[in-house]
Structures are given as structure tokens and as C-alpha cells.
Amino acid sequence: MSTKVFISYAHKDEKYKDNLVEHISGLIRSNLIEEWNDRKIVPGKNWEEEISSNLEQSEIILFLISSAFMNSDYCMGIEVKTALQRHKEGKARLIPIVVRPVVWSDSELSEIQGLPKDAKAISSWDNDDEAWVDVVGGIKKHIEEFKPKRDLPTFENNYGVNIKNQLHEWLLDTEIMLAHRNINQVTLDDIFVIPDIDLESEDEVVNIKSASYLLSNLGHYIISGEEQHGKTSLLKYIYKELLRLNLIPVYINASDIKKASANQELKRAINNQYDDLEYDNFLKEKKIVVLIDNMEEIGLNKKYSIKFLEEINSITEYTFLTCHKSYSFIYGEIPALDEHERVEMLGLGNKKREELLQKWISLGVEESIEDYELYSKCDELKARLNTVIKKNIVPPKPIYILMLLQMFEANAQLNLDLTTYGHCYQQLIYQSFDKAAIAKADFEKYLNILTELAWRMFKSNKSLNFHEIDLFFNEYSENYLTVDQKTVLDKLVSHSILSNNGIDISFKYPYIYYFFAGKKIAESYRDSEEVRQQVENLLSKLHREDFANILIFITHHTKDSWVLNEIKSVLRTLFDDHSEATLNKSQLSFMSDFMKAIPELILEQREIQKERDAHNEELDRIEQNKDFDEEESEPLDILANINKTFKGMEIAGQIIRNRHASLTRKAMEDLAKTSTCAGLRFLEYFIKISDTAKKEIVKLISNQLSDHPNLTDKEIEKHAENAYLHLTYGVINGVTRKIASSIGSKEALEVYREMERNTGTPAFHLIRQSIELQFNKVINIEHITSCVGALKGNQVCLRILKEMVIQHIYMFPVDYKEKQQLSHLLGISVRGQRLMDNRKIGKG
């Protein structure tokens, strides 16, 4: 966000104000500052209110000092008083700029260092431009260094206890630098999302709840999670909520514990966190709640750690401890933790990511942002995030998500070419290097080591044991300059780039492995026969999750045409003995009677945010129940081909989305059409094989229903046939949307429209319309009308179109007039929509 700059001057010095504005024009154009002076007051506005309002909103206040300024009652009265107050409170930075010689040493302003250099008046310089350049340099330095203080929120507590300002600021501190276009300082309250936790349970394999559960069920908890999972932020949230519950939370970082006396540590912590709090009184009333962070770093040996924790347990009824996930394997050896319920922090799933994104998008514009803009921007950012995160390739920790949002925002502001997300992965790796204190000059060396190591693991199809690691480094030193194996491994393991489980060495997170394996292949494909052979292996096993992801990462590292050609070659061979499903009336005629019998769709009253939450919860449920481990055994050929089709389409779509700005229109359309046709050939295969096996399927379903006492044989047969047709319809609907979500892109809409015009089958009409709704987020009545006309008489495809439109209406605000148009156009009955719109239920 740009810094607001207020210029105060006497009108006799207007030419100096104009010169200043001219010289800071570069800062204005680069969006570093937003300048305001009283000549911007609109005629008819109350000028005093306008000046006061803009002065209060500004962070840099410039006073053009001269005899005329010093003689102005308004300047030296109201404006100086307000500016000095804001300057002393740290909410703004006041900068006097001396424009004409004047005696101002007796003024309060003289206590503040002025500009230009040595406060020599602008008019006294031999060259005015040099004076202004000096002034602009000083202003820019102030902007870079100054961090305005924000009014701290108060935390209610009936005991009247006051926490110290230092703790107040810590509770709001995000602990990473966050820049946002709409506000100057992002606090933890602005972006904190209550995470989900998994409670250890004897009865349930998974017992997932919101972390707010811990506050409604106070007790002894030990909360585990990986580094940077947000454990400290969770304790900050718990701290504030405990204050509101009229308890006295006390935070202790375990690394600061040097003495085994819990009472001494608590008294020291309370003295640092509260003003004049009577510790003994609250201790007697059992109001003290202890929060200990980073238990694995406790500064005591095992014997005294146990003693300390036993004393804590005797002092308080409630404790919240956090530890690294690895510590959870050994805290069973500490008796003092036996009564603590074990809790694991989870990453941010789809629902929580959307909540964080809505907070981020709404910062500074909460009162003015419209529902549609909020949801549309949210989905756009979520699509980008999901492209990078994918299936936990990048861990969905809050810090990673916020870092990625920063990257997206920086690229948007700088108008960079976002043809690849490779820069996101590379930036995350570079930040890990910085954290590991790897010198910038050594980045290339570490990148090369990791590239060769990933390649060795890829060829071995496993992690490397310690003997294999020694062999790797010996061979590495023969091909490249010698490196210190111990130093390299220590840095990479200790900062979560590599992982050492005591048996072998692996990459800590999938994205790092995929990134470097893809990098090696992209850089060596043209020159290495071995690499080309391994690419053939990748493509032949495209159904594997890890192989498909490595191929996606290859597209990040190279724009060479061989990648596109290889992907298209695989897609063309899949179900190549079938034509593409057209989904025309004749092909779907066997479903006509069934479509007439099923109930008509109704556009019901739905609350948009609840629908979005339900959708995200379903995605989270699917991800939580899915095993992401790589499948070692090979699936049946037909299943492998189905998986290859879907993975191939996803990779093609990734290429289109990442490289839409650099691919030619022809290359993009060819890739999109090749992918679509592969999906439609599978659909043709499914329709034919399901029609052939119809009798067997109906018989199987009939057998399942035969024990039902209230059904006749004829009813059983009818139910079975309907179940079969529901299944068939569901697959047609699902595959059509899957093709659209795989290959779709907002930027390439004109390519899909051209593809639709050139092909003209009902299948292509539906796919294009689905892409429009999924990626453009807009109901276009003209396009819907055209699609309805093209699908006239095709009941199956019209039903799919109706479902697409209704789902969009449930997920995004659509005004009542458009709903009525859609109702008439698609023959959908509207129920309760006027009432819903009048109540404006949409915003969550």
C-alpha cells in the first residue's frame, strides 16, 4: 500500500509546494506515496473537516517552513498541534522542510530534524533542483524506516488487570513481514484463522475439531505440530481468549526456562506481562493458566524438566503446551505429561484457506467490498494457491500461504509476467536458504547439490541410506568442485530442506523433490540419453501421482516444445480405438425416458457462504480420507489408462494456465483440444461399455434390492434400471466438468470459444460453458442462451447445463433479475429468491 503524505504550507509559498509535488512525482507514480494538499479539496466541501480528516489519515506530514508559515494561525495552531501529537505517539512522522530563511528555533518544530541537509532553506541553495533532490531522498528514507504505531485493541477482563504494552504488541505481531496494498501494518488479528486440530481418541481414528474446542473444554493439553505450523500464533489466540474468560494466562517460552522452580518462572513472566498483578491472590483462586511454547527446547535436563512440569501441574488446573511433532514421540516418557490430552495441529484445509483469503482480500475495504468481488477474488487467489500447494506438495501451513499471497501481490503490483509458478517454489527454497544462513554466493552450489541428489533419488525410486549418501557425495566431488558433506547436510536437514529419520535421507517436502527432479530433467533432456529414457518411464507411468507432479514441475523449468509434444503424444494414444463422445441426442437416446421421469430442478433459497463452506468441507473430507502415499503396485491397464487420461489433462491445463502469455494461439488450442478429446474418448468408452454391460449391472443392483420386503419384482427391476441410469448420468456429468476444470483457464477463454465453434458438438458446448462458469465466475446470459439453443431437445445435456448454472448461483451472488431470466431460459422454478435477496443473506 502507498504511504499517505500530507503537505502543509502557507499559500504565499505555493510555488514551493508545486516544486515539491513535481519532484516527488516519481514516488507517486511508483505507488510508494499518495500525496494530499488543500488544493485537492472539492468545491462545496467543508475545508476544515477535509484538512483534519486527511491529516489524521496521513503517516508522513510535511511542513513547508517559512515566515509565512510561522505567521499563519491555522498552520501553527491546529495543524502543528495535531501533527506533533501524532508524531509523539508514533502514528505519523513529521518532517519540516525549510523553504525560505526564517527564525524558527523557538518553535516546538525546531526539536525535529528538518530537510534539506542542515535545514538550509531551499531558496538559499545555488541550485533549487539539487535542494529538492536532497529533500526527496530524505522523505524516501523516512518512508522506508518509519513503521507507524497502531491503536492497540483492549482485552476485556473483569478483574481489571492490564497487560503491558510490549505484550500487547507481541500478541498482535505476525512475526513475519507482511505488506498489503490497503493497510500499512498487518496484525495477527487481521489474518488469524482458528486452525483445526486432531484430538487423540481411543474411539475414533480421526477426531477433527476447531481449536476453539480447547477453550470450551479447558484442561491440560499438549499441542504438537511441525515447525512454522502456527503453534505460537495459536497460543496468542488462546491467551487473548483466556483474558476474555476472566482468567490470567501466562506465556513462557520453554527455551527461557533455566530454573526448575515453576513459581519463580511464573512470577518473572507475570512481572514482564502484567502491570501490578498480585500473583499470590490469583494463584489461590486457581485463575492462573500456563502456556508453555516449544517444549522440545526446554532449558532443563530430563530430571528437572519433570520436576518443573510437576510443579506447574500442582499450581494450575489448566495448561496449554506446544511442541514440535517429533517431540510427541518422546513425551510419553515424561510422567508429568500423562494427564495432558494430546492434540495435533492440522494444516489449513480448503475451508480454512478460504477464510484466510477472505480476511486478506477484505483488509482495509471491509465496509465497501461487494459480495461478488469478494468471492470472485477469493476463488481466483484460491485457484492460484491450489496450483502451487496441490495435494500437500507445499505444506498448507499459514506461513506458506501468507508467503505465497505476498508473492502473488508483489507480482501483481509489479505487473510481472506470471507465465509460471516456478518462481513461487524457487522463492520458498531461497527463503529456506536464507533461514539456513547460506551465503548468497553459495546458492548456486546448494541448488546444484539438491538437483543431483533429487536425480539420484528419482533413479533409485527411494530415499538414500547413509552409505548411499556417502557414495553420492564422493561421486559429486568427482564431477564438481568438492563440498563439505557434513556442513551441507547439517544446514539442509536443520532447516527442513532435507529430512534425516536416523535411517535414511530424503527431501522434507514433496515440492522440493519434485522441483529439483524436474529441474534436472528440463536442463538435461536435450543432451542426455539417460534423461530421455527416464522421461519415457515418466510418461509410461503418468498415472502415478509422483510422476505426474514431476512432469508438471518440468513445465515450470522449461518452455521447450518437447514437453508439449510428449504430453500430446501420450494423450493421443489413450483410448485411441474409440472416437470422441459427442453427447448428441442420438448417442444419449437410451436415457430419454429416464430424463423425463426424474424430478425437475428447483432454484432454492440458499445462503451463499454456507454453500461455499459445505463445498470446502466436502473437499477437506475427501482429502483427509485419501491416502497420498505413492502406490507401488501397478493398477490394471484400463485403470492406468483412465488415470493417465486425467493426469494428462491436468498437466496440459497446468501448461495452459502457466504459459498462456507465451504459447501461440495454435499451440494452446491444439493442446486444449488434444486433452479434451482424450477425455471424451474415455467417456465414449464408458458409455459403450456401460451400455453393453447394462443387463449385468441391472441384475447386480436387482440382487442387492431383492431382500427388500416391500418391493415387487417389477419395482425392483425399475429401481435397478434407474440406479444404473443415475450412475451413467453422474459419470457423463462428472467427466464433462472434470475436463473443464483440468484444461480450463480464465486467460485462454477465447481459445476454448474458438475450439467450440470449430467442433460444435454438445460435449464441447458444455465444456466451454463449464470453463466460463468455473474460471470467469460470470453468468453471461447471451452465452447461456446460445448454449441452450445448441442443446435444444438434448435433455441430458440441458440437465447438466442447468446443474452448472444452479451451482454457480449457490456459490456467487446473482441479482434477482438475472435469476428470473435464467429461470425462464432454462425452465427452472425459482423458490424463495426474492425473500433471500431482500435479506441480503449472501455475505458471510
Side-chain angles (χ1 to χ4, degrees):
M1 178 186 174
S2 56
T3 299
K4 188 159 186 177
V5 174
F6 181 96
I7 302 176
S8 176
Y9 65 103
H11 285 179
K12 190 173 180 180
D13 297 319
E14 183 137 23
K15 70 172 185 178
Y16 292 102
K17 182 266 294 180
D18 291 341
N19 286 339
L20 171 59
V21 172
E22 181 182 318
H23 277 272
I24 62 175
S25 61
L27 302 181
I28 296 170
R29 272 197 301 274
S30 64
N31 206 34
L32 188 63
I33 66 171
E34 176 191 349
E35 172 270 331
W36 192 90
N37 66 78
D38 65 0
R39 292 303 185 196
K40 295 190 175 183
I41 298 174
V42 178
K45 292 277 189 180
N46 184 308
W47 65 272
E48 285 188 272
E49 288 180 3
E50 287 291 298
I51 290 173
S52 177
S53 172
N54 281 280
L55 184 55
E56 287 287 346
Q57 293 170 18
S58 298
E59 295 150 22
I60 299 291
I61 302 169
L62 307 178
F63 281 175
L64 304 191
I65 306 296
S66 68
S67 56
F69 184 92
M70 303 299 290
N71 191 47
S72 168
D73 290 337
Y74 191 84
C75 290
M76 290 302 295
I78 295 172
E79 290 187 5
V80 167
K81 182 179 178 181
T82 302
L84 281 172
Q85 182 66 28
R86 287 177 56 75
H87 182 86
K88 289 173 183 176
E89 291 173 352
K91 295 178 181 178
R93 179 68 60 87
L94 173 56
I95 308 171
I97 300 172
V98 185
V99 294
R100 292 190 287 126
V102 62
V103 176
W104 61 303
S105 56
D106 294 332
S107 164
E108 290 179 280
L109 295 173
S110 64
E111 298 174 7
I112 303 171
Q113 181 65 44
L115 292 173
K117 185 178 179 181
D118 300 325
K120 180 181 177 182
I122 297 284
S123 63
S124 300
W125 285 57
D126 294 335
N127 186 311
D128 285 2
D129 287 336
E130 287 183 6
W132 285 117
V133 167
D134 184 85
V135 167
V136 173
I139 293 171
K140 190 174 180 182
K141 186 178 179 184
H142 279 290
I143 291 171
E144 291 170 350
E145 294 177 352
F146 178 58
K147 301 296 179 190
K149 286 188 177 179
R150 295 181 60 170
D151 290 325
L152 297 174
T154 58
F155 303 110
E156 300 295 330
N157 190 296
N158 288 342
Y159 292 108
V161 297
N162 294 312
I163 62 174
K164 293 184 182 271
N165 282 342
Q166 185 178 355
L167 180 72
H168 229 143
E169 292 174 1
W170 177 78
L171 289 172
L172 297 175
D173 186 12
T174 60
E175 299 183 24
I176 59 171
M177 286 296 295
L178 292 174
H180 193 279
R181 65 190 179 282
N182 292 334
I183 63 173
N184 292 311
Q185 187 177 355
V186 180
T187 71
L188 187 60
D189 282 358
D190 291 328
I191 47 89
F192 181 72
V193 170
I194 302 170
D196 285 332
I197 54 173
D198 186 2
L199 291 164
E200 187 175 278
S201 171
E202 295 179 1
D203 303 326
E204 302 174 64
V205 176
V206 178
N207 187 14
I208 296 174
K209 297 183 182 295
S210 166
S212 58
Y213 168 89
L214 304 177
L215 290 159
S216 55
N217 296 270
L218 291 172
H220 294 290
Y221 294 100
I222 182 159
I223 306 162
S224 65
E226 291 191 347
E227 71 283 344
Q228 298 183 311
H229 220 135
K231 298 185 292 294
T232 301
S233 295
L234 176 58
L235 287 187
K236 290 180 181 183
Y237 159 74
I238 290 172
Y239 195 112
K240 289 178 283 189
E241 292 303 309
L242 288 170
L243 282 172
R244 294 187 178 102
L245 291 172
N246 297 317
L247 295 167
I248 309 297
V250 184
Y251 173 86
I252 300 172
N253 193 325
S255 62
D256 296 333
I257 300 172
K258 306 301 181 187
K259 299 289 183 183
S261 171
N263 266 304
Q264 284 184 24
E265 290 292 341
L266 284 173
K267 284 181 179 178
R268 180 177 61 81
I270 284 174
N271 186 54
N272 290 335
Q273 294 168 35
Y274 291 91
D275 288 325
D276 305 322
L277 188 143
E278 294 295 332
Y279 169 67
D280 291 335
N281 290 342
F282 286 107
L283 195 61
K284 290 174 186 174
E285 295 180 28
K286 297 285 186 182
K287 295 294 182 182
I288 301 288
V289 181
V290 179
L291 287 64
I292 303 179
D293 207 2
N294 306 312
M295 276 299 303
E296 70 279 4
E297 297 178 12
I298 192 165
L300 302 172
N301 61 32
K302 184 176 179 181
K303 176 182 175 182
Y304 284 97
S305 294
I306 293 171
K307 182 176 182 295
F308 178 85
L309 290 170
E310 286 174 343
E311 190 175 342
I312 288 289
N313 290 344
S314 68
I315 288 172
T316 177
E317 295 180 1
Y318 311 124
T319 54
F320 296 88
L321 316 181
T322 70
C323 68
H324 189 274
K325 194 171 182 179
S326 59
Y327 185 76
S328 64
F329 297 113
I330 63 169
Y331 61 54
E333 302 171 8
I334 303 173
L337 296 176
D338 286 349
E339 61 185 277
H340 284 70
E341 190 168 354
R342 301 178 182 189
V343 175
E344 181 183 348
M345 279 188 70
L346 302 178
L348 299 185
N350 291 276
K351 184 178 178 183
K352 295 296 181 180
R353 289 205 288 271
E354 171 148 340
E355 187 179 339
L356 175 55
L357 287 173
Q358 288 190 11
K359 282 175 174 277
W360 182 263
I361 294 163
S362 299
L363 282 178
V365 292
E366 294 93 335
E367 297 178 4
S368 59
I369 191 166
E370 295 293 337
D371 292 350
Y372 176 78
E373 183 183 7
L374 175 65
Y375 293 136
S376 181
K377 285 185 176 179
C378 182
D379 280 3
E380 183 179 342
L381 274 178
K382 191 162 63 172
R384 288 188 180 184
L385 274 177
N386 290 344
T387 298
V388 178
I389 292 173
K390 291 183 71 65
K391 297 172 182 174
N392 288 326
I393 292 176
V394 172
K397 301 176 183 179
I399 188 168
Y400 281 93
I401 292 170
L402 289 166
M403 286 163 64
L404 289 168
L405 288 175
Q406 294 280 278
M407 292 179 208
F408 297 154
E409 186 144 308
N411 284 321
Q413 287 181 347
L414 295 172
N415 198 27
L416 295 181
D417 181 12
L418 281 175
T419 57
T420 175
Y421 285 111
H423 67 278
C424 291
Y425 301 110
Q426 187 161 312
Q427 190 61 32
L428 291 174
I429 290 164
Y430 281 176
Q431 287 176 344
S432 296
F433 282 7
D434 285 333
K435 191 180 174 188
I438 295 170
K440 292 283 193 296
D442 288 336
F443 273 24
E444 193 65 30
K445 175 175 73 177
Y446 277 83
L447 289 171
N448 196 53
I449 292 168
L450 289 166
T451 300
E452 295 301 321
L453 183 59
W455 181 239
R456 176 65 63 86
M457 290 183 185
F458 171 75
K459 290 191 296 181
S460 304
N461 199 26
K462 66 181 184 66
S463 304
L464 302 183
N465 60 37
F466 296 126
H467 173 66
E468 291 168 328
I469 283 289
D470 290 340
L471 290 176
F472 166 77
F473 275 97
N474 288 336
E475 290 177 23
Y476 184 87
S477 295
E478 292 174 4
N479 294 316
Y480 303 95
L481 292 178
T482 303
V483 296
D484 185 333
Q485 177 179 339
K486 185 178 185 307
T487 301
V488 168
L489 285 178
D490 284 349
K491 281 183 179 291
L492 295 176
V493 170
S494 62
H495 291 87
S496 298
I497 297 169
L498 297 178
S499 176
N500 179 354
N501 63 6
I503 300 172
D504 52 29
I505 299 290
S506 61
F507 282 87
K508 175 72 173 180
Y509 298 119
Y511 82 92
I512 306 176
Y513 167 61
Y514 296 146
F515 180 90
F516 285 107
K519 183 173 184 288
K520 173 68 176 182
I521 292 171
E523 292 173 349
S524 307
Y525 180 82
R526 292 292 184 189
D527 303 321
S528 170
E529 178 60 29
E530 180 190 28
V531 170
R532 289 195 292 274
Q533 288 175 356
Q534 289 294 347
V535 168
E536 288 182 16
N537 183 39
L538 271 177
L539 292 164
S540 69
K541 297 179 180 177
L542 187 57
H543 53 275
R544 280 182 50 160
E545 192 75 40
D546 55 345
F547 282 19
N549 284 324
I550 289 172
L551 276 165
I552 287 175
F553 274 76
I554 292 170
T555 70
H556 289 315
H557 289 291
T558 182
K559 294 183 180 180
D560 201 317
S561 60
W562 72 263
V563 182
L564 276 70
N565 294 334
E566 293 286 6
I567 296 296
K568 287 189 293 186
S569 177
V570 171
L571 287 168
R572 287 184 180 121
T573 64
L574 297 170
F575 300 99
D576 57 352
D577 53 344
H578 289 79
S579 57
E580 295 93 31
T582 60
L583 301 186
N584 57 33
K585 286 187 287 186
S586 59
Q587 185 177 36
L588 301 176
S589 59
F590 69 97
M591 299 186 71
S592 298
D593 292 339
F594 166 71
M595 295 307 298
K596 292 173 186 174
I598 61 175
E600 282 297 318
L601 289 166
I602 295 172
L603 193 54
E604 301 171 343
Q605 175 178 323
R606 299 282 181 92
E607 188 172 338
I608 292 171
Q609 189 57 56
K610 285 185 178 178
E611 289 296 308
R612 294 175 70 87
D613 287 345
H615 175 68
N616 285 318
E617 286 168 1
E618 177 63 14
L619 291 175
D620 289 335
R621 186 190 63 76
I622 292 169
E623 289 179 11
Q624 287 157 5
N625 292 335
K626 188 168 182 178
D627 183 4
F628 291 113
D629 292 339
E630 303 302 343
E631 182 62 58
E632 293 299 328
S633 60
E634 292 297 321
L636 297 171
D637 284 347
I638 185 60
L639 295 179
N641 283 340
I642 293 170
N643 281 336
K644 282 181 186 177
T645 302
F646 290 130
K647 294 298 179 189
M649 289 192 303
E650 287 174 7
I651 295 170
Q654 188 89 327
I655 294 171
I656 291 170
R657 286 187 286 275
N658 289 345
R659 293 172 50 189
H660 61 268
S662 58
L663 279 176
T664 65
R665 179 190 292 268
K666 185 178 183 306
M668 206 181 311
E669 185 176 344
D670 189 30
L671 184 58
K673 188 170 182 181
T674 301
S675 307
T676 302
C677 288
L680 291 176
R681 285 197 302 274
F682 158 68
L683 192 52
E684 174 79 2
Y685 161 80
F686 171 79
I687 291 171
K688 282 187 175 179
I689 199 170
S690 63
D691 190 40
T692 303
K694 177 180 176 181
K695 288 183 180 179
E696 286 76 10
I697 296 171
V698 170
K699 185 177 179 181
L700 180 66
I701 299 171
S702 297
N703 289 337
Q704 295 293 319
L705 294 171
S706 60
D707 292 336
H708 200 289
N710 299 322
L711 293 176
T712 66
D713 289 346
K714 193 171 180 78
E715 287 172 331
I716 287 173
E717 186 179 347
K718 187 64 177 173
H719 278 298
E721 186 161 340
N722 280 343
Y724 156 76
L725 291 169
H726 267 295
L727 172 66
T728 305
Y729 171 80
V731 172
I732 294 170
N733 191 351
V735 171
T736 305
R737 296 196 194 199
K738 176 63 179 175
I739 294 170
S741 64
S742 295
I743 69 160
S745 162
K746 181 179 180 180
E747 291 77 13
L749 286 173
E750 58 186 276
V751 167
Y752 310 120
R753 290 169 187 161
E754 184 66 23
M755 191 169 71
E756 176 192 27
R757 281 192 292 271
N758 292 339
T759 310
T761 66
F764 274 86
H765 288 306
L766 282 177
I767 290 166
R768 194 272 306 163
Q769 187 59 61
S770 184
I771 291 172
E772 294 264 2
L773 292 173
Q774 287 186 51
F775 292 91
N776 210 24
K777 316 294 183 191
V778 174
I779 288 278
N780 186 312
I781 299 293
E782 184 181 342
H783 287 170
I784 300 282
T785 303
S786 171
C787 197
V788 169
L791 301 177
K792 188 175 181 181
N794 189 328
Q795 295 304 312
V796 175
C797 290
L798 280 171
R799 173 82 178 202
I800 293 173
L801 177 63
K802 290 178 185 180
E803 289 188 20
M804 288 180 189
V805 171
I806 288 176
Q807 184 181 28
H808 177 90
I809 291 171
Y810 289 160
M811 301 289 278
F812 294 93
V814 175
D815 65 38
Y816 188 74
K817 182 181 177 182
E818 277 194 327
K819 286 175 186 169
Q820 290 292 344
Q821 287 178 297
L822 292 167
S823 167
H824 177 73
L825 185 61
L826 295 168
I828 304 173
S829 142
V830 181
R831 183 177 294 170
Q833 291 303 305
R834 173 70 75 180
L835 176 63
M836 186 172 86
D837 287 348
N838 288 341
R839 291 180 178 176
K840 294 184 179 177
I841 291 177
K843 191 155 187 176

